[in-house]
């Protein structure tokens, strides 16, 4: 699987259409106002993903506030998370994936402010909860101000928590559903999304390599590929 993953290139139009159609049926909405600076930076980040190397596209542009740039990329990552979760809705169910896991030896529990005690959950329940939890965070103007106000101290710790949980969804998708992505031609889209996530969290120190251990081989493969192309 690793060789197939690492050699996939760009997402096919049919795969993108399938993901966008599925996403539409999930009733997803943009969590930040369209007039906000964060949303405009989100569009800029999305555009640069198609015109620049992924690693370059996540770097902080000159003159842009660091937290605002991170927030805008979180909106993009959230979009990609919703696409991914929607794409495997029919094959990732309570019966096929009764535990949120990444292989036989790594499983994840859910905890939040309302239920601080970690609880075991199925993979689809974990992912649905994460989507709603992230949407609530991004739409909370006290945590993610869209009017140019300073970001609160709680912003970055929350981003770090979310990114760790985003990784868990990628790990589950790659380890347990990669063949499903291949089946509908979405493996290249999955790769592009994960590379964007990977370089973003490494650039800003949001997730450490130990936390990404379930996909360590793939992470190293992507980094080595870029280094061989003259990356830093």
């Amino acid at each position: 699987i690793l060789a197939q993953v690492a050699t996939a290139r760009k997402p096919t139009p049919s795969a993108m259409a399938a993901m966008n159609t599925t996403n539409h049926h999930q009733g997803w909405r943009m969590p930040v106002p369209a007039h906000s600076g964060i949303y405009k930076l989100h569009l800029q980040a999305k555009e640069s993903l198609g015109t620049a190397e992924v690693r370059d596209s996540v770097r902080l542009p000159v003159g842009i506030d660091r937290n605002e740039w991170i927030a805008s990329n979180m909106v993009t990552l959230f979009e990609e998370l919703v696409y991914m979760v929607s794409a495997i809705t029919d094959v990732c169910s309570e019966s096929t994936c009764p535990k949120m896991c990444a292989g036989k030896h790594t499983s994840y529990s859910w905890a939040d402010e309302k239920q601080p005690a970690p609880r075991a959950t199925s993979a689809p329940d974990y992912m649905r909860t994460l989507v709603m939890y992230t949407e609530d965070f991004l739409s909370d103007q006290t945590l993610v101000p869209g009017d140019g106000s300073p970001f609160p101290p709680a912003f970055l710790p929350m981003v770090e928590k979310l990114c760790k949980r985003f990784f868990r969804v990628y790990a589950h998708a790659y380890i347990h559903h990669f063949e499903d992505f291949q089946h509908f031609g979405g493996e290249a889209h999955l790769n592009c999304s994960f590379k964007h996530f990977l370089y973003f969290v490494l650039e800003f120190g949001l997730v450490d390599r130990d936390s990404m251990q379930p996909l360590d081989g793939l992470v190293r493969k992507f980094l080595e590929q870029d280094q061989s192309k003259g990356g830093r």
Side-chain angles (χ1 to χ4, degrees):
I1 290 179
L2 178 59
Q4 293 171 309
V5 169
T7 55
R9 297 302 179 188
K10 296 180 180 178
T12 64
S14 60
M16 290 293 291
M19 287 195 175
N20 279 297
T21 301
T22 308
N23 178 55
H24 173 74
H25 292 314
Q26 293 294 317
W28 173 82
R29 64 180 180 84
M30 178 59 64
V32 296
H35 59 77
S36 67
I38 290 174
Y39 181 76
K40 293 173 183 176
L41 285 175
H42 153 68
L43 294 180
Q44 177 183 330
K46 283 187 66 175
E47 183 178 355
S48 66
L49 277 172
T51 59
E53 290 292 334
V54 178
R55 175 168 287 184
D56 293 334
S57 72
V58 301
R59 290 174 179 154
L60 180 65
V62 176
I64 299 298
D65 177 76
R66 186 176 187 272
N67 283 335
E68 193 169 29
W69 180 247
I70 289 175
S72 68
N73 273 272
M74 286 299 294
V75 174
T76 307
L77 292 180
F78 176 59
E79 263 193 334
E80 293 168 355
L81 175 77
V82 173
Y83 291 157
M84 178 169 53
V85 171
S86 300
I88 58 176
T89 295
D90 293 337
V91 293
C92 185
S93 66
E94 304 288 333
S95 58
T96 61
C97 303
K99 291 195 307 180
M100 180 58 182
C101 57
K104 295 180 180 179
H105 305 295
T106 303
S107 60
Y108 303 110
S109 301
W110 181 269
D112 55 34
E113 294 76 14
K114 295 180 180 178
Q115 294 182 317
R119 61 178 178 87
T121 179
S122 67
D125 183 49
Y126 187 100
M127 292 187 287
R128 285 192 299 266
T129 304
L130 177 58
V131 167
M132 292 186 292
Y133 188 72
T134 307
E135 185 174 342
D136 287 344
F137 166 69
L138 291 174
S139 60
D140 187 341
Q141 292 288 301
T142 66
L143 292 171
V144 188
D147 59 358
S149 301
F151 284 74
F155 171 72
L156 275 180
M158 188 65 172
V159 167
E160 292 172 358
K161 178 193 295 187
L162 288 174
C163 285
K164 286 182 179 179
R165 295 179 178 186
F166 283 17
F167 170 80
R168 295 169 182 178
V169 176
Y170 279 109
H172 181 79
Y174 271 113
I175 294 172
H176 298 278
H177 297 291
F178 184 69
E179 290 184 357
D180 297 313
F181 278 92
Q182 284 184 308
H183 178 71
F184 61 76
E187 72 272 20
H189 183 94
L190 177 63
N191 284 349
C192 289
S193 295
F194 181 62
K195 287 184 77 173
H196 175 213
F197 168 84
L198 175 64
Y199 289 127
F200 172 68
V201 299
L202 292 179
E203 179 73 16
F204 293 97
L206 300 172
V207 182
D208 59 64
R209 290 287 296 272
D210 287 344
S211 298
M212 296 191 280
Q213 188 61 37
L215 293 181
D216 184 62
L218 180 61
V219 169
R220 286 189 286 105
K221 189 72 174 178
F222 281 153
L223 296 178
E224 289 168 2
Q225 282 182 343
D226 276 4
Q227 287 175 351
S228 68
K229 292 189 297 184
R232 67 177 181 181

